Amino acid sequence: ARSVIGTLWSVDALATAIFCLSYYQHRQNGSDRSTALRLAQQDLRNKTVGELKEQLKNLGGYLSKLKKQTTERSKKLKIGSLRLHIAFIKDQPNDDKPFASPFYWAGFICHGL
């Protein structure tokens, strides 16, 4: 691989899933790696609960793929963690920004070219 997107610390599972969706969408739209990384971080930081609820409808396909690709132990950990976070998000006010803290978005970095 010419480059890798990684994290400096263990990042929340739901924040990572949403970040990845946004990052690859920006890449498909023609952004280079560093621009897509910055835009995905901004998207995650500024995303409201109302916007997340809409985006979570599309996350069902991601969860299905994740179930097929992981071992039984890691499947339970990842899927269970995502479900808990999704349930928490759904109970928040629509204008709340649950991933505004740098803990959720600042750990993502790009290594390589």
Side-chain angles (χ1 to χ4, degrees):
R2 292 176 47 192
S3 66
V4 175
I5 300 295
T7 61
L8 296 172
W9 55 80
S10 181
V11 180
D12 176 82
L14 182 57
T16 300
I18 293 166
F19 170 86
C20 288
L21 292 171
S22 180
Y23 173 80
Y24 286 111
Q25 182 179 27
H26 289 296
R27 289 290 289 150
Q28 286 180 341
N29 291 338
S31 295
D32 60 45
R33 286 180 287 280
S34 60
T35 301
L37 176 72
R38 180 178 50 80
L39 292 171
Q41 287 174 317
Q42 288 174 348
D43 290 347
L44 184 60
R45 181 175 62 227
N46 296 320
K47 189 89 54 179
T48 65
V49 169
E51 293 167 334
L52 285 167
K53 287 176 182 177
E54 284 299 313
Q55 192 169 11
L56 289 174
K57 292 176 185 175
N58 300 327
L59 200 55
Y62 172 77
L63 292 176
S64 296
K65 288 179 185 177
L66 187 63
K67 280 183 182 180
K68 293 177 186 176
Q69 296 174 355
T70 58
T71 65
E72 192 62 35
R73 185 179 185 292
S74 65
K75 183 189 310 182
K76 287 179 184 176
L77 292 173
K78 290 176 186 174
I79 302 300
S81 176
L82 284 171
R83 286 194 176 130
L84 283 174
H85 287 84
I86 289 169
F88 174 76
I89 293 291
K90 288 183 177 181
D91 291 337
Q92 302 303 311
N94 278 344
D95 60 345
D96 193 25
K97 294 181 180 179
F99 300 119
S101 168
F103 171 78
Y104 295 105
W105 56 265
F108 293 101
I109 57 171
C110 183
H111 295 279
L113 301 174

